[in-house]
Amino acid sequence: MRDWQAAGVWAALHRLLLERLQAAGQIDWRRAALDSATVPAKKGAPRPARTRWTAASQARRGISSTDARGTPLGLKLTGANRHDSLLLSPTLDTIPPLRGRHGRPRQRPGKLHADKAYDAHIRPQECRLRGIIPRIARKGIESSERLGRHRWVVERTHAWFNRFRRLIVRYERRVDIHLAFTTLAASLITLNQIKRFC
C-alpha cells in the first residue's frame, strides 16, 4: 500500500476509471458540488506531543468534489482543525485532466455549488480564475437550502465513502496510507458509476 501510493498507482487507477466514464460521456461537467466530512482518529498523536491542537490535527477532514451525478472527481485530506474554505482551490486542483472525448482534456466543471463554509471574498475569485462559475451560499444573505437540490449529490457521495469501514474512523497514523485507502474507495465508487451508466 505504501509503495503503490508513493508510485501514484491509486491516483492513476482513479484517473483511468474517470477517463472510462468520460469516454462514454457519463461525467456531467455542467455543475459540481464540494463539501467536507470529518473522520475521527482512533490512535491520535504520539503521547509526548499530545495537545488539543495535535489531537485535532490527527483527525482528518476529507474534502471532495463531485460531478452532478456524485462521481468523485477530486479529493483532499487535511487536519480537522483547518477551515474548509482554505481548501477550496487545492481540492479543485486535484481534479485530473481527462482524455476520452474529442478536443482538449476536460478538467473543470461549469459551476461549483458549495455551502456557507466556503463563503470568503477570495473564494469566488479562485473559481473564476479556473473558469468555474461559483454558486456559494452567502452568510446572512441567502439560505443554504436553495443550493440543496444540487449539493445533495456530494452528501450522498460522502455516504458512499462511509460504506468502507476503514474510512469511518482513521486507524492509520500515516497520512499517505489514509490517503491511499481514500483514493482506492473513490476508485471503487467510480467503478460502480461505470457499471451503472456504461
Side-chain angles (χ1 to χ4, degrees):
M1 182 66 76
R2 174 200 61 201
D3 295 341
W4 286 10
Q5 173 66 15
V9 171
W10 307 119
L13 174 63
H14 184 220
R15 179 176 178 172
L16 182 68
L17 293 170
L18 287 174
E19 287 181 347
R20 175 78 180 273
L21 270 178
Q22 173 76 352
Q26 297 300 325
I27 294 183
D28 193 342
W29 291 103
R30 292 175 300 167
R31 63 183 77 248
L34 187 140
D35 203 2
S36 67
T38 302
V39 178
K42 189 73 172 177
K43 295 184 178 179
R47 188 168 297 279
R50 185 182 294 274
T51 66
R52 66 189 182 106
W53 300 110
T54 55
S57 64
Q58 289 299 305
R60 303 313 296 170
R61 172 162 292 169
I63 299 184
S64 60
S65 56
T66 69
D67 74 338
R69 292 179 172 172
T71 305
L73 300 176
L75 56 93
K76 188 79 174 172
L77 297 181
T78 185
N81 55 355
R82 293 195 63 189
H83 197 271
D84 290 358
S85 66
L86 299 175
L87 296 169
L88 186 142
S89 57
T91 305
L92 291 176
D93 291 339
T94 61
I95 301 175
L98 302 178
R99 298 173 298 172
R101 304 285 287 179
H102 296 292
R104 294 188 306 174
R106 186 72 185 262
Q107 188 177 6
R108 301 287 186 248
K111 294 181 182 179
L112 178 70
H113 295 267
D115 60 17
K116 296 179 182 180
Y118 301 92
D119 181 27
H121 294 295
I122 197 171
R123 305 308 163 212
Q125 182 181 355
E126 290 175 349
C127 291
R128 292 187 188 98
L129 286 175
R130 291 165 174 79
I132 301 172
I133 300 172
R135 284 293 295 121
I136 301 172
R138 293 171 294 174
K139 296 176 183 176
I141 298 177
E142 58 184 319
S143 171
S144 297
E145 295 175 0
R146 290 183 57 196
L147 299 175
R149 59 180 178 161
H150 300 301
R151 283 188 56 254
W152 68 271
V153 292
V154 72
E155 302 291 347
R156 183 184 64 180
T157 302
H158 284 303
W160 288 342
F161 275 109
N162 287 337
R163 290 182 179 176
F164 300 95
R165 294 179 58 189
R166 191 86 185 205
L167 300 180
I168 296 176
V169 177
R170 179 191 170 194
Y171 292 94
E172 293 80 21
R173 288 179 180 266
R174 296 179 50 144
V175 178
D176 58 339
I177 300 299
H178 186 65
L179 178 60
F181 279 118
T182 307
T183 309
L184 179 58
S187 301
L188 293 173
I189 292 171
T190 307
L191 180 62
N192 287 334
Q193 295 289 78
I194 292 174
K195 293 177 181 178
R196 180 181 178 189
F197 296 116
C198 297

